[in-house]
Amino acid sequence: MTARIGVVTFPGSLDDRDTQRAIRLAGAEPVALWHKDKNLHQVDAVVLCGGFSYGDYLRAGAIARFSPVMEPLIEQAKAGLPVLGICNGFQILTEAHLLPGAMLGNDHLHFICRDQKLRVENADTAWTTDYSAGQEIHIPLKNMDGRYVADERTLDELEAEGRVAFRYLDVNPNGSLRDIAGITNAAGNVVGLMPHPEHAVEPLIGSGRTDGLPFFTSILKKLVNA
């Protein structure tokens, strides 16, 4: 039976088709979910893709957090459903309190678009098992509100519990505290990161690398072996 991975589209989502393609390349079946859906149509995992949901009005991800689809998503994520939030999806996960902290505007106050070097800090989550801890990868980054912040106690807890999933290397592109590029919840089923792995899955498209494909093969293997 083919694993079914939902991809939620909000008004302003940009990368839903790219994410669906990445899922298909990994060998799973992408399932399009609309933000007004009141159920998840029995998918095995969900990706909240990048973009500018609701134009980033009020605060990035703050309005999308109250879309109808988020009610079953929050409930099922707390029960163990694997959820990946990419860029705007990461912002939505923090607004929904599925991940701690918040995303603020880049410290240089400019939109940034670049290939970004990362270090994999946690290769034990549902979305990272096809990486190795300490592995260095290059993933495209594009954001305006990508600065991850949290209070010192939360940051210390993330570090102590191994919940920093990815860290920026060589340069911190947005001022994120402790160079944090992505984090996971305690259970390891919910992961959020600012860079875009769906843009690094084919040699001839996006970054020209395939460093992002293991996100999607990782979750496929987890679902198949569950």
Side-chain angles (χ1 to χ4, degrees):
M1 182 175 175
T2 304
R4 303 172 73 248
I5 302 178
V7 179
V8 180
T9 299
F10 298 93
S13 294
L14 298 178
D15 300 306
D16 43 356
R17 297 294 181 88
D18 303 74
T19 304
Q20 291 173 25
R21 181 176 178 81
I23 290 168
R24 194 175 294 111
L25 285 171
E29 176 188 350
V31 178
L33 299 176
W34 183 232
H35 72 113
K36 289 187 177 181
D37 287 342
K38 295 183 178 179
N39 68 77
L40 301 180
H41 301 285
Q42 298 179 320
V43 295
D44 303 302
V46 172
V47 180
L48 299 178
C49 65
F52 304 89
S53 61
Y54 294 92
D56 281 350
Y57 293 117
L58 179 62
R59 198 170 55 246
I63 301 176
R65 175 262 178 271
F66 292 101
S67 287
V69 74
M70 291 301 295
E71 183 174 350
L73 187 147
I74 292 170
E75 179 182 354
Q76 292 185 42
K78 290 179 178 179
L81 179 75
V83 178
L84 175 65
I86 301 171
C87 195
N88 190 229
F90 186 11
Q91 296 161 344
I92 295 168
L93 290 177
T94 62
E95 293 289 344
H97 304 298
L98 286 173
L99 291 175
M103 310 302 300
L104 301 181
N106 298 342
D107 60 352
H108 46 72
L109 303 181
H110 295 286
F111 180 83
I112 188 169
C113 183
R114 55 170 290 156
D115 283 346
Q116 177 65 47
K117 189 176 182 180
L118 306 175
R119 182 172 61 239
V120 180
E121 302 283 29
N122 186 331
D124 295 324
T125 79
W127 299 91
T128 59
T129 54
D130 269 359
Y131 292 109
S132 301
Q135 183 176 350
E136 297 181 3
I137 59 177
H138 290 79
I139 302 289
L141 176 74
K142 52 177 185 175
N143 64 72
M144 180 68 188
D145 299 292
R147 177 161 53 111
Y148 180 75
V149 299
D151 60 79
E152 286 297 313
R153 179 178 177 181
T154 298
L155 291 170
D156 288 343
E157 287 179 353
L158 290 173
E159 300 278 12
E161 296 173 7
R163 291 171 55 195
V164 175
F166 299 91
R167 212 180 299 268
Y168 296 117
L169 289 183
D170 294 347
V171 62
N172 185 324
N174 45 37
S176 291
L177 298 181
R178 304 195 190 182
D179 299 327
I180 291 174
I183 60 175
T184 178
N185 67 344
N189 63 300
V190 179
V191 172
L193 79 161
M194 286 310 296
H196 287 258
E198 77 280 11
H199 294 324
V201 295
E202 293 183 279
L204 298 179
I205 298 178
S207 70
R209 297 172 177 265
T210 58
D211 291 6
L213 190 59
F215 276 89
F216 305 101
T217 57
S218 292
I219 188 61
L220 177 60
K221 289 178 181 178
K222 177 177 175 57
L223 295 173
V224 170
N225 295 327

